[in-house]
Amino acid sequence: MKKRLLTGLQPSGELTIGNYCGGIKQVVNYQDEYETFLFVPDMHSITVPQDPETLHRRVREIVGMYLACGVSGTKNHIYIQSEIPEHANLSWILECNAYMGEMSRMTQFKAKSEGKKEIGCGLFTYPILMTADILLYNADVVPTGADQKQHVELARNLAQRFNKKYGEIFVVPEPLIPKLGAKIRDLLDPTKKMSKSAENPKASIFLNDPEKVVRKKIMGAVTDSGEGVVYDEENKPGVSNLLTIYASFSNKTIPEAEKHFEGARYGDLKKEVAEVLVEFLTGLQDRFAQVMSSGIVDETLDRGRDEARAIASVTYDKARRAVGLGRV
Ligand code: ATP
Ligand code: MG
């Protein structure tokens, strides 16, 4: 039997080429190796204020984009967190077994609440909901970037504590350090990574950017002093980032890309980066439009919800019996 992997797709903004290189491509690789649970954590999204219409739209679009990028809707379980009530139900049971002390040590909470006058309780308890997301499906592994490491550690602690108290109910998940996908940097400040929630849209290439916009953003990308198209993260972060983008979208290695641009000027590099991006994005956007108008997103989400719920309800039932809720 394949091991189970679980990962979420945050609908916190329009997807960027960074999300494609470092996130979506990874899922395409995982889907053969693991039984993959891919869910949209919309309940996590409302820990910070959201416009309801935008949130509804993004949930469907993010699934549509994954499907258009080659993530299979039939091999994987793809579902929306809020459509499976067991997430909130198990979260409550776990909350009653978590301590204020350990929750107060979560660095992401500290960072996200700093300087705010009114802090939603959801922001504080969110790592417990995340624990429920993982434990409901007996996930063996959870791909974990640096920002989520502490939360996966909490999930392990809560699972172990619960099992010790009530019997072996949960699988204790392991973090999976993702194989390194290319890291794409901010076009205007290449010392930062490109991010879908960046303030200035000119700093990121979004997967649904029109051709003209892509060309304009790339031509406006920050380059470095001096000349010569060489990969040098420290002294030429802007040029190195453009080389990374070029290499990723033309399926070349960095040395191959450097060779390709021998003797070229920064302007030549930018033109060709824009060209490979436009070619990739035009094809992707065509597939995305087809996906969004075909009904496949809803079919996928309906099937995913039913598959996920069948698994989640078994785990939840064990947990609620173990603590004495409801009838035996
Ligand atoms: P946010 O600003 O909301 O945190 P984000 O763009 O950082 O958005 P995440 O939702 O945090 O995106 O991450 C989704 C996936 O995309 C993860 O697998 C993450 O590693 C990957 N990813 C995000 N940004 C980049 C980037 N610039 N380069 C490569 N991979 C990235
Ligand atoms: Mg992020």
Side-chain angles (χ1 to χ4, degrees):
M1 233 177 41
K2 280 184 185 173
K3 280 195 170 182
R4 284 184 173 171
L5 177 144
L6 178 135
T7 186
L9 326 168
Q10 270 278 7
S12 56
E14 313 302 327
L15 293 168
T16 70
I17 54 170
N19 298 134
Y20 176 77
C21 292
I24 304 180
K25 261 186 167 175
Q26 308 250 14
V27 176
V28 174
N29 295 335
Y30 293 143
Q31 66 188 4
D32 293 317
E33 204 176 333
Y34 296 95
E35 179 182 0
T36 303
F37 293 75
L38 252 181
F39 72 107
V40 187
D42 54 346
M43 292 162 73
H44 289 293
S45 299
I46 62 164
T47 54
V48 294
Q50 297 285 342
D51 170 56
E53 254 173 55
T54 310
L55 187 56
H56 276 312
R57 176 176 60 78
R58 279 193 183 145
V59 167
R60 296 186 78 258
E61 283 184 359
I62 210 161
V63 173
M65 202 45 107
Y66 268 71
L67 295 174
C69 287
V71 172
S72 164
T74 47
K75 269 189 214 168
N76 307 297
H77 311 287
I78 303 181
Y79 54 97
I80 302 175
Q81 182 187 32
S82 64
E83 292 187 355
I84 321 267
E86 282 79 6
H87 286 252
N89 292 353
L90 181 62
S91 185
W92 178 251
I93 295 179
L94 293 170
E95 215 168 289
C96 296
N97 285 277
Y99 306 134
M100 291 297 289
E102 62 191 345
M103 298 309 296
S104 305
R105 286 195 292 274
M106 296 292 131
T107 52
Q108 207 179 73
F109 170 73
K110 286 189 207 161
K112 285 197 174 178
S113 59
E114 209 175 65
K116 295 225 172 79
K117 262 208 214 124
E118 284 180 327
I119 302 157
C121 294
L123 204 56
F124 185 69
T125 54
Y126 139 92
I128 305 177
L129 178 58
M130 177 172 153
T131 299
D133 299 336
I134 301 170
L135 300 187
L136 277 176
Y137 301 96
N138 299 319
D140 297 292
V141 294
V142 182
T144 312
D147 56 336
Q148 291 297 336
K149 226 172 154 188
Q150 203 184 17
H151 293 166
V152 176
E153 200 47 47
L154 176 79
R156 290 173 54 81
N157 289 340
L158 291 182
Q160 277 159 348
R161 185 180 307 155
F162 195 95
N163 285 350
K164 210 166 153 199
K165 214 161 156 188
Y166 301 106
E168 292 295 311
I169 310 261
F170 299 127
V171 171
V172 180
E174 300 278 346
L176 177 78
I177 307 304
K179 286 173 220 139
L180 261 171
K183 184 167 174 186
I184 310 292
R185 296 177 170 280
D186 186 291
L187 295 178
L188 301 180
D189 177 3
T191 59
K192 294 194 301 204
K193 77 167 197 68
M194 187 180 285
S195 157
K196 59 174 139 64
S197 57
E199 252 160 53
N200 189 344
K202 288 185 187 148
S204 312
I205 303 277
F206 298 105
L207 295 179
N208 54 16
D209 270 344
E211 173 175 351
K212 255 190 166 162
V213 175
V214 173
R215 291 192 198 276
K216 218 169 156 185
K217 285 181 180 173
I218 293 295
M219 294 323 277
V222 168
T223 40
D224 316 286
S225 55
E227 50 193 293
V229 178
V230 287
Y231 191 89
D232 179 348
E233 269 185 45
E234 205 173 308
N235 300 308
K236 293 188 178 227
V239 169
S240 302
N241 188 34
L242 290 171
L243 269 174
T244 303
I245 299 175
Y246 177 80
S248 305
F249 287 90
S250 58
N251 289 319
K252 288 191 169 82
T253 62
I254 296 282
E256 282 167 354
E258 278 181 317
K259 191 136 203 282
H260 179 82
F261 288 108
E262 231 170 52
R265 286 168 309 193
Y266 291 167
D268 306 322
L269 167 68
K270 285 184 171 179
K271 271 195 199 119
E272 288 207 43
V273 170
E275 211 48 57
V276 290
L277 276 178
V278 164
E279 196 184 318
F280 171 78
L281 292 176
T282 316
L284 176 63
Q285 289 165 9
D286 284 348
R287 291 195 299 281
F288 177 69
Q290 280 169 21
V291 166
M292 293 308 286
S293 62
S294 67
I296 192 172
V297 171
D298 287 306
E299 270 169 45
T300 303
L301 287 173
D302 286 349
R303 189 174 48 242
R305 175 201 56 212
D306 294 345
E307 290 163 356
R309 184 128 203 232
I311 299 168
S313 61
V314 173
T315 315
Y316 173 70
D317 211 52
K318 282 189 202 162
R320 67 115 192 133
R321 278 170 203 269
V323 298
L325 291 184
R327 285 181 270 179
V328 178

